[in-house]
Amino acid sequence: MQLILWHKQELSSIITLCMVAVVVLVCVRLGFWQLQRAEQKQQQLTAIEKLQTQGVMSWQQLTNLPSNWNKAGVLVELTGVFIQDQYWLLDNQVYNGQVGYDLLVLFKPADDSHTILVNLGWVKAPLSRSELPKIKLPTKRFTLIAQIKENNLSGFTLEREAVPSNIRIQNIDLNKLSQTSQQKLVNYMAYRQGEGDELATPHYKAVVMSPQKHHAYAVQWFLIAIACVFVAVFASKKRTHNEK
């Protein structure tokens, strides 16, 4: 009987040890992953800062860049007109705790055949989901400063749209928007910078979570791993003491 009890205790100890080992390994893995993400974010921030030290580019300078050159982070001054009655509301956008949309418009720079998709910023959603914000785009020539974003344009997608709409969209697909509007779009988009106005409130940040936050999360995961080891050692010593 004692031998059976001893075997059960040994088996329980082995299972506990394995569980602790798995938890510790997962926490350590997540900690190093956060450190890797912090390094990637820092590299991205450094690249953007380097680009922006060159100042604000003109539209002509931007379009003259090599096609294979990564334009993400470039600041550009756009002067031109909005294509009227061609805009979309990107769903599920939160600003200062309020739910709303990002206003996406088609912008045609002056003296150019190109068209670029511009995110003007956040607009508040009406109380009813069945209603949409009333948008009135300026008809005169407009100038704005924007930051270019290239690749990874799609955002969060809802499983199903409760109220189908050609204006309300769930993600950004340049090819689809180009087909819908019958406009040939450049393969990147611009996010307006600066203060808000009656049109929308710009809120775009190229890097949402800073490297410092990733470092903080890494420290948390490492501390959890250390805590698991200490708890396991304490529990083992207490069990050994009770058995004596």
Side-chain angles (χ1 to χ4, degrees):
M1 185 66 182
Q2 289 182 347
L3 182 61
I4 294 175
L5 183 60
W6 181 82
H7 278 300
K8 285 184 177 180
Q9 291 174 344
E10 284 295 310
L11 181 60
S12 177
S13 297
I14 293 173
I15 293 175
T16 301
L17 181 61
C18 290
M19 290 177 63
V20 170
V22 169
V23 172
V24 170
L25 287 174
V26 169
C27 290
V28 171
R29 174 72 176 174
L30 288 172
F32 279 111
W33 178 74
Q34 288 290 348
L35 291 177
Q36 184 180 17
R37 291 291 294 156
E39 184 179 355
Q40 291 173 349
K41 293 292 181 66
Q42 188 58 58
Q43 291 175 352
Q44 186 178 359
L45 284 172
T46 302
I48 291 174
E49 288 173 2
K50 185 177 179 180
L51 281 172
Q52 294 183 354
T53 55
Q54 301 175 8
V56 180
M57 288 188 179
S58 67
W59 173 249
Q60 185 176 5
Q61 288 174 321
L62 180 67
T63 54
N64 285 337
L65 291 174
S67 58
N68 61 348
W69 200 75
N70 188 355
K71 303 171 184 64
V74 170
L75 287 176
V76 61
E77 181 179 79
L78 299 174
T79 298
V81 294
F82 297 107
I83 298 180
Q84 297 296 313
D85 301 323
Q86 291 280 9
Y87 68 87
W88 298 272
L89 296 169
L90 182 62
D91 204 0
N92 199 51
Q93 304 301 308
V94 178
Y95 177 72
N96 287 344
Q98 292 185 300
V99 178
Y101 304 92
D102 271 5
L103 176 58
L104 308 180
V105 299
L106 296 179
F107 192 85
K108 188 173 286 293
D111 303 320
D112 201 312
S113 60
H114 291 89
T115 303
I116 183 170
L117 182 69
V118 178
N119 185 322
L120 290 181
W122 180 87
V123 293
K124 187 177 180 180
L127 293 178
S128 174
R129 176 72 178 173
S130 61
E131 298 179 17
L132 293 175
K134 295 180 180 179
I135 305 298
K136 186 176 181 180
L137 297 176
T139 56
K140 296 181 179 179
R141 180 171 290 200
F142 195 89
T143 298
L144 59 94
I145 302 296
Q147 183 173 340
I148 299 300
K149 183 177 182 182
E150 191 171 14
N151 303 321
N152 302 319
L153 298 178
S154 298
F156 176 77
T157 304
L158 296 178
E159 290 184 2
R160 185 177 63 179
E161 171 61 78
V163 183
S165 170
N166 293 328
I167 297 176
R168 181 190 289 138
I169 60 175
Q170 306 303 318
N171 55 56
I172 300 172
D173 185 333
L174 289 181
N175 290 329
K176 185 175 180 180
L177 296 181
S178 178
Q179 293 174 2
T180 302
S181 63
Q182 297 183 340
Q183 296 286 336
K184 187 176 181 181
L185 304 179
V186 294
N187 61 351
Y188 47 85
M189 64 178 294
Y191 284 77
R192 185 168 65 133
Q193 306 293 292
E195 301 295 328
D197 52 24
E198 66 278 3
L199 279 175
T201 304
H203 65 105
Y204 172 72
K205 292 182 180 179
V207 176
V208 178
M209 186 179 292
S210 67
Q212 291 76 16
K213 282 191 176 181
H214 283 291
H215 284 136
Y217 285 131
V219 170
Q220 289 180 3
W221 284 118
F222 290 140
L223 289 176
I224 292 173
I226 293 172
C228 287
V229 173
F230 274 107
V231 170
V233 170
F234 177 78
S236 178
K237 287 184 176 181
K238 188 174 181 180
R239 174 182 286 182
T240 302
H241 177 74
N242 292 339
E243 288 176 356
K244 290 181 179 179

